[in-house]
Amino acid sequence: MILRTDLALENREAEGSRGLHQRDQDGCRVTTLVVEKQEESRYQKPQGTYITVEMEPFSDHLDRENRYRKIVAEELKKLLPKRDLRARWLWVLALALTAVKLGLCSFQLIVASPDLSPIDDTLMFNLAKSISAGNWLGEYDWLTLGKHSFYALWLAFLNLLHDNIVVGGQALFAVSCLVLLAALKPVMRTNWGRLFVFAVTLYTPASWAENTLRVYRDNIYPSLVLLALAGLLGAFTRFREKPLRALPYYVAAGLSLAAAWLCHEDNALLLPFVLCAAAVYLAYLFLDKSIAHKKSRLALLLVPLALWGGGIAAWCGMNYKYYGRFIISDFTSSEFNDAMGALSRAYPDDQKRYELIPLSTRLALYEVSPTFAKLQDVLETPEMYNGYGDPETGELNSGGIHWVLRKAAWTAGYYDTAQDAENFWRAVADEINAACDAGL
């Protein structure tokens, strides 16, 4: 078979699997070369798709000529741009979907239960009022630093904007989805696909479920987590672009990670996702020799870390200014955790499924810990049993034991200042741990 080159096609977009591919078809030889950006020096060609069609000399044989034309037409069709949604219309439709959802959710009503949620919704509302009044988290007591309270700051911000919590929460979730839409560009080939992912995420039922209507952190915590992960996705998938293209995504990730950390106590659950994403990114960065500006990309990793740590440090700084303790919360502080650990360490055989520190254990510990014994008169009362346990048996349930102990210590006068509370719980931990070590 004598072949000659009758057609050479070029496309500056790299379409298909990279490398050299060749096939013979009906007397034609079709050679396809897909050159990625990092392979330009190897092939001495700019990024693109190169197709060469070699065929036998044309003859008077009409069938053979028609077959050649079909083969050439097929190759031309491969180089034509895919029919896809234009970028402008992608964002127009995304904003339209956002506006529709905000409009629909504006008809939802807030779920308020102030008497039933003194340590949840009511606490956040009261803290927000103090922030709006310029008094940070208010006068110190057993609840002031009882939780990670970024949501109270968010409520104060919405109050400043004269916006309600339902629309405000939905707007934050929509921003997170829009960041995800932009972040997906390097990893999704079509705008229709990106729009589909955006719409499914934006309208997921969990984003407008009943728990998001409470005056509580569930209203924004999913949005902050989504924004953090979308920011990391957008930054890490742009490892072949100019380093500064990733900067906005790093900023979004750092700020949202700080806010999420200050919004919830169970933030260790975020770390596996963040660490795994960073590990994969670093592996690509070090193993792929074609990636340029590696030092700049490594330096940019400091941006989200600085914003993350800086946001937490700023919160702790405000707590130090007002209460004298550089902590996020005295519920998660070391001395209170140590005290709870010591209390639950004693008499483990007496524990039941929902009774971490049974009445029998408490009565025994009053005898060995003079500091803990100061709570007996205010803790072992019908009022406390009724609010946090069983009035008939005197047992306190595991879900409320932390709060009833704090309330009892406050009633007994050990929450006048943050330092008083710290010293009290540290003494309880030391005394009970010493008794357990001595063979309690």
Side-chain angles (χ1 to χ4, degrees):
M1 182 174 66
I2 301 174
L3 299 176
R4 75 172 192 271
T5 301
D6 279 270
L7 185 65
L9 307 171
E10 297 182 2
N11 180 14
R12 287 297 179 259
E13 296 294 330
E15 301 284 351
S17 56
R18 67 184 183 182
L20 187 65
H21 308 276
Q22 194 174 75
R23 78 176 193 277
D24 292 321
Q25 178 181 347
D26 292 335
C28 292
R29 178 166 294 165
V30 180
T31 304
T32 304
L33 175 63
V34 179
V35 180
E36 299 283 0
K37 186 70 176 177
Q38 68 272 20
E39 297 174 321
E40 291 179 341
S41 58
R42 175 184 174 187
Y43 291 106
Q44 297 297 307
K45 291 178 178 290
Q47 175 183 337
T49 302
Y50 301 85
I51 299 177
T52 303
V53 181
E54 300 172 277
M55 62 191 69
E56 294 180 359
F58 285 112
S59 67
D60 294 334
H61 204 293
L62 187 59
D63 290 341
R64 180 181 294 180
E65 188 174 338
N66 286 337
R67 288 201 304 270
Y68 291 165
R69 286 175 178 156
K70 288 181 180 179
I71 293 171
V72 173
E74 289 174 0
E75 300 305 322
L76 283 171
K77 187 176 180 180
K78 293 178 183 178
L79 295 183
L80 292 174
K82 304 293 188 299
R83 295 189 64 180
D84 193 16
L85 182 66
R86 291 185 178 183
R88 178 183 300 177
W89 283 107
L90 168 68
W91 289 100
V92 168
L93 291 175
L95 292 175
L97 288 171
T98 299
V100 170
K101 187 187 179 186
L102 291 177
L104 292 173
C105 290
S106 67
F107 291 99
Q108 290 185 293
L109 300 178
I110 296 171
V111 176
S113 53
D115 294 333
L116 299 178
S117 55
I119 60 176
D120 294 325
D121 307 45
T122 302
L123 173 60
M124 293 297 138
F125 180 74
N126 290 334
L127 296 179
K129 288 199 299 182
S130 296
I131 294 174
S132 296
N135 193 30
W136 191 225
L137 301 178
E139 297 299 322
Y140 184 77
D141 61 21
W142 65 291
L143 289 174
T144 307
L145 298 182
K147 291 197 172 186
H148 289 210
S149 303
F150 177 82
Y151 185 67
L153 185 62
W154 171 257
L155 286 178
F157 174 68
L158 292 182
N159 180 63
L160 187 66
L161 298 179
H162 301 286
D163 194 6
N164 70 67
I165 68 163
V166 174
V167 175
Q170 290 297 332
L172 180 61
F173 189 77
V175 168
S176 303
C177 292
L178 289 169
V179 173
L180 177 64
L181 177 65
L184 288 171
K185 185 177 181 180
V187 294
M188 296 194 71
R189 297 180 65 86
T190 67
N191 287 336
W192 281 114
R194 291 165 61 199
L195 183 65
F196 175 77
V197 173
F198 169 80
V200 169
T201 307
L202 179 68
Y203 281 85
T204 182
S207 67
W208 43 268
E210 183 178 355
N211 63 294
T212 66
L213 304 178
R214 292 177 57 189
V215 188
Y216 200 48
R217 56 196 179 190
D218 294 345
N219 177 250
I220 64 168
Y221 189 68
S223 305
L224 297 175
V225 173
L226 175 60
L227 182 57
L229 298 181
L232 292 177
L233 174 67
F236 291 165
T237 56
R238 281 162 174 77
F239 59 90
R240 297 197 187 282
E241 301 180 17
K242 294 180 180 179
L244 287 180
R245 293 276 181 87
L247 182 58
Y249 295 97
Y250 277 128
V251 172
L255 292 176
S256 52
L257 280 172
W261 200 268
L262 295 169
C263 197
H264 209 286
E265 293 81 24
D266 299 328
N267 289 301
L269 298 174
L270 287 173
L271 294 180
F273 298 96
V274 174
L275 294 177
C276 285
V280 172
Y281 174 70
L282 290 173
Y284 269 97
L285 203 59
F286 285 112
L287 296 178
D288 193 333
K289 296 180 180 180
S290 66
I291 298 177
H293 310 294
K294 292 188 177 182
K295 291 184 179 179
S296 299
R297 297 181 195 281
L298 286 172
L300 280 173
L301 286 173
L302 298 176
V303 173
L305 293 176
L307 292 172
W308 189 357
I312 295 172
W315 188 277
C316 294
M318 290 296 291
N319 285 341
Y320 181 80
K321 176 182 177 181
Y322 280 84
Y323 311 113
R325 296 204 62 192
F326 192 79
I327 56 175
I328 301 176
S329 160
D330 59 13
F331 187 89
T332 54
S333 59
S334 60
E335 74 284 346
F336 186 69
N337 281 320
D338 289 345
M340 291 305 303
L343 289 165
S344 58
R345 174 188 178 190
Y347 302 105
D349 293 338
D350 292 345
Q351 293 176 354
K352 298 179 182 178
R353 185 176 181 181
Y354 298 111
E355 297 171 8
L356 181 64
I357 309 172
L359 177 60
S360 59
T361 299
R362 300 198 303 271
L363 294 176
L365 291 179
Y366 293 143
E367 301 298 324
V368 299
S369 173
T371 304
F372 186 59
K374 296 175 181 178
L375 301 185
Q376 183 172 7
D377 292 341
V378 292
L379 180 60
E380 311 300 340
T381 64
E383 178 187 357
M384 294 297 194
Y385 296 154
N386 186 60
Y388 298 90
D390 187 342
E392 295 182 1
T393 63
E395 297 294 355
L396 300 170
N397 64 65
S398 298
I401 187 67
H402 308 80
W403 298 105
V404 70
L405 289 173
R406 292 168 65 89
K407 185 175 182 179
W410 170 68
T411 305
Y414 295 103
Y415 267 86
D416 291 340
T417 67
Q419 291 72 27
D420 289 342
E422 178 185 12
N423 294 334
F424 176 82
W425 293 118
R426 198 174 300 283
V428 169
D430 291 343
E431 292 169 4
I432 295 178
N433 278 326
C436 291
D437 294 339
L440 177 66

